[in-house]
Amino acid sequence: MAELRWTEGDASRKVRLESTPVGIGRASDNQIVLKDFSVSRHHARVEPRGEAWWIVDLGSTNGVKVNGTYAAEALLADGDQLLVGNFTISFHRTESFQNLGVSSSTFLRSLEEFREDFRLEREPVRRHTTGVTARERVLEALAQVARTLLEVEELEPVLDKVMEAVFEQLPADRAFILLFTPDGNAELRMARSRGGHQLAEAPVSQTILDLVSRQKVAVLTSDAQADERFAAGMSVRLHQIRSAMCAPLWHRDSVIGVLFVDTPLAIGCFTAEHLDLLTALANYSAVAIDRARLNDSIREEKRIRERLERYHSPAVVEAIVERKAPAAEGERHETREVSVLFADIVGFTSRCQIMDPPDVARFLGEFFTLASDAVFEFGGTLDKFIGDAVMAFFGAPLQQGDHAERAVRAALAMLERLAHWNRERAQAGHEVVEVRIAINSGLVVVGDIGSATRVDYTVLGNTVNVAARLEEMVAKPGQVVVGPATQRAVGHLFPTEHLGNIQLRGLQGKLSVFRVLTEELGGPDA
């Protein structure tokens, strides 16, 4: 491979020489257009003759100099300087990595060189389109087409699109996409043949993977069996790999995987242009994959948030998502000390008998809203609605050393909101609403609990049962009743009254029960 390099103003230019002549002149139909009257309209031509390149003067006014000497035509050698009008054009051989001892059947293309040639990941540079070779026009157009990959939102469809592009643009029989896991292992994500058949494994040797990912180069081998670096690989021998290309899935300086294509049992199927094509596809594929992964992550976080928002306040949801607490990770449960709160409407059954079903639903909706707001205000978790009752707990999923205090403050806030609602109801001519509230603290099992098809984030244990019994059997309308563990935790913060030792149904022995003196706090009973 060879190329011509020159400078226009402050801009460096170069044109890769392929198998066709390259015209140099002032006219726009030249491959290299030099806008200066020192240059004839059709000044010179660089043409291939066998494996060599020659410069030919096309009868120009000012002639052509090669290394300072006028020449009608001349054989070009690496580093030759051509004077065309006022422009100095240098000729260069560009065989890559020739100093690394790579066999002639293998060609490497560094990402830095590719990025410089095709200006990927940069702002478009204004240039003379007539000075671009046909190959560059094709590849730049393909790079733009590859951007359609970014229109796909999810990862698997992106990988499908990559496969479609590979088989549409390259003479490959098989294609493989491997993505690196966080620990650096290459995971096969998609493997297909040209006919669309799924393949079970990828014949990519660790040698090729290391070369591509660590040195950030794209590799083309015309015969992997003949390349001493690849032929020793077990996968190369087993699968009889001959022609193959492998490009890193790269975005800026990050390599997230590799795109590997091959044609087993055939030698010399790919060209350097095919490698550039694969490298361009790999770049845009990596961008699309990164974007799809981000979208998947956002969708998963949204799913987690939607599930958690049924139970927790926005602040607690945010903390869970950021800290990845157990509640966000699926079916897990643990033992935790919490405070459980039950709040129940007094006389709801008799009230429903004189209300239409839509009115009942609206009535419960208003009550559940004020109760939930009070729970969320103090970082509680809304467990469930049980008929006309609300069950909530504090201290999970996030650790809250002051869970008992939070529960009592939520209960007081609930009564305050209820008083405000009752004033509105009274103005509208409706009956006032009273509730009973009980709180009990202790150890519970907390987490996602349920069947294989339905789970709820909830708490289980004797602490829960005691809280339910306190609300049902002890609490009076407008009261906040607490168990002994709760009273010990909050007795120095809120005035309480001992209601005695009470036998609760289903429990052995009597339980010391207390009432929060809301009237001394300026609450609804005052």
Side-chain angles (χ1 to χ4, degrees):
M1 297 178 66
E3 63 183 24
L4 299 175
R5 304 173 187 169
W6 73 101
T7 301
E8 290 185 57
D10 295 329
S12 297
R13 309 289 190 192
K14 64 180 175 180
V15 165
R16 188 72 56 79
L17 300 177
E18 301 295 333
S19 58
T20 56
V22 173
I24 305 173
R26 197 173 72 250
S28 60
D29 59 346
N30 290 285
Q31 282 72 39
I32 297 178
V33 179
L34 303 176
K35 295 293 187 180
D36 191 281
F37 285 103
S38 65
V39 180
S40 298
R41 288 180 53 79
H42 297 92
H43 198 110
R45 180 176 66 247
V46 176
E47 61 183 34
R49 298 179 186 178
E51 297 295 322
W53 287 91
W54 287 69
I55 179 74
V56 179
D57 187 348
L58 299 179
S60 64
T61 300
N62 294 318
V64 175
K65 285 186 177 181
V66 179
N67 297 325
T69 303
Y70 283 106
E73 64 176 33
L75 173 65
L76 297 177
D78 187 39
D80 281 353
Q81 301 293 307
L82 315 177
L83 184 64
V84 178
N86 292 326
F87 295 85
T88 298
I89 303 175
S90 58
F91 173 85
H92 297 275
R93 291 284 182 181
T94 59
E95 283 78 3
S96 298
F97 296 87
Q98 54 189 355
N99 60 334
L100 296 182
V102 180
S103 76
S104 61
S105 66
T106 299
F107 174 71
L108 303 181
R109 183 77 149 108
S110 75
L111 296 186
E112 283 301 320
E113 180 185 350
F114 183 84
R115 185 185 281 115
E116 176 64 27
D117 280 354
F118 294 96
R119 300 185 181 277
L120 296 185
E121 302 176 346
R122 298 184 182 181
E123 291 298 320
V125 176
R126 299 182 67 177
R127 57 190 299 179
H128 298 294
T129 56
T130 53
V132 182
T133 66
R135 171 183 161 283
E136 284 180 317
R137 285 195 296 269
V138 170
L139 289 181
E140 288 184 358
L142 175 62
Q144 296 301 319
V145 171
R147 291 183 185 274
T148 59
L149 288 171
L150 303 183
E151 298 176 1
V152 186
E153 296 289 337
E154 298 180 3
L155 180 58
E156 292 304 316
V158 164
L159 301 183
D160 284 334
K161 289 291 185 182
V162 173
M163 286 296 185
E164 291 175 10
V166 165
F167 290 121
E168 181 179 346
Q169 302 293 340
L170 297 170
D173 291 337
R174 303 184 302 187
F176 308 87
I177 299 173
L178 296 91
L179 300 180
F180 293 132
T181 60
D183 57 5
N185 294 321
E187 178 184 16
L188 179 62
R189 292 301 304 267
M190 190 162 287
R192 286 185 186 168
S193 66
R194 175 167 288 276
H197 299 296
Q198 301 288 340
L199 304 175
E201 56 181 333
V204 187
S205 71
Q206 190 62 45
T207 304
I208 294 177
L209 280 175
D210 290 343
L211 176 67
V212 170
S213 61
R214 293 180 182 177
Q215 297 189 24
K216 296 183 180 178
V217 297
V219 58
L220 180 160
T221 176
S222 297
D223 186 359
Q225 304 288 322
D227 192 305
E228 60 184 12
R229 297 173 309 157
F230 303 147
M234 180 64 72
S235 59
V236 172
R237 298 199 310 273
L238 288 177
H239 295 274
Q240 292 295 299
I241 301 303
R242 295 290 185 178
S243 295
M245 294 190 297
C246 187
L249 291 166
W250 58 286
H251 178 38
R252 295 189 175 92
D253 293 325
S254 175
V255 176
I256 64 171
V258 298
L259 179 56
F260 180 86
V261 299
D262 69 0
T263 54
L265 309 180
I267 297 175
C269 295
F270 303 120
T271 66
E273 185 170 318
H274 290 142
L275 186 63
D276 283 343
L277 198 63
L278 183 69
T279 307
L281 280 173
N283 173 237
Y284 287 111
S285 297
V287 175
I289 289 169
D290 271 347
R291 182 170 175 268
R293 281 174 162 174
L294 177 60
N295 288 335
D296 288 347
S297 176
I298 291 173
R299 279 188 289 270
E300 176 63 14
E301 183 173 314
K302 181 180 179 182
R303 185 192 67 80
I304 292 173
R305 286 179 181 274
E306 288 176 347
R307 181 171 67 88
L308 294 176
E309 283 170 355
R310 294 185 299 168
Y311 310 116
H312 311 299
S313 68
V316 171
V317 170
E318 192 67 31
I320 293 172
V321 172
E322 289 181 357
R323 293 171 51 177
K324 300 188 184 299
E329 297 178 353
E331 294 184 338
R332 294 179 54 183
H333 50 78
E334 58 183 325
T335 300
R336 182 80 66 82
E337 185 172 325
V338 304
S339 292
V340 181
L341 179 151
F342 278 88
D344 190 16
I345 297 176
V346 177
F348 176 73
T349 302
S350 59
R351 188 187 301 270
C352 286
Q353 293 178 353
I354 58 174
M355 298 173 64
D356 293 330
D359 293 332
V360 173
R362 185 163 44 253
F363 170 79
L364 285 177
E366 292 178 358
F367 171 69
F368 289 153
T369 297
L370 73 85
S372 300
D373 288 347
V375 170
F376 290 163
E377 180 181 351
F378 293 95
T381 296
L382 182 64
D383 190 301
K384 60 177 67 72
F385 301 127
I386 310 170
D388 60 325
V390 174
M391 175 183 169
F393 55 90
F394 299 77
L398 300 180
Q399 293 276 5
Q400 296 168 329
D402 58 346
H403 54 82
E405 177 185 349
R406 289 172 178 268
V408 173
R409 292 194 183 280
L412 297 175
M414 202 176 297
L415 292 178
E416 183 178 347
R417 292 168 187 267
L418 182 66
H420 178 74
W421 186 39
N422 277 330
R423 286 193 292 271
E424 293 179 346
R425 289 179 58 82
Q427 292 175 0
H430 300 307
E431 290 183 90
V432 298
V433 178
E434 293 183 299
V435 297
R436 301 186 300 265
I437 301 176
I439 301 169
N440 189 44
S441 304
L443 292 176
V444 298
V445 174
V446 58
D448 282 332
I449 299 171
S451 67
T453 57
R454 169 70 184 273
V455 297
D456 283 312
Y457 188 73
T458 188
V459 289
L460 299 175
N462 188 61
T463 299
V464 180
N465 298 333
V466 170
R469 297 288 187 271
L470 288 175
E471 181 274 313
E472 177 188 0
M473 303 175 62
V474 179
K476 299 295 189 295
Q479 288 186 345
V480 177
V481 172
V482 299
T486 307
Q487 195 277 336
R488 286 194 297 271
V490 302
H492 65 293
L493 299 173
F494 306 100
T496 60
E497 175 188 8
H498 187 226
L499 299 180
N501 297 325
I502 300 176
Q503 179 68 51
L504 299 179
R505 185 177 69 249
L507 297 180
Q508 294 182 351
K510 294 183 178 182
L511 186 72
S512 184
V513 180
F514 300 82
R515 176 176 74 90
V516 178
L517 299 176
T518 57
E519 61 272 19
E520 295 186 15
L521 297 171
D525 288 347

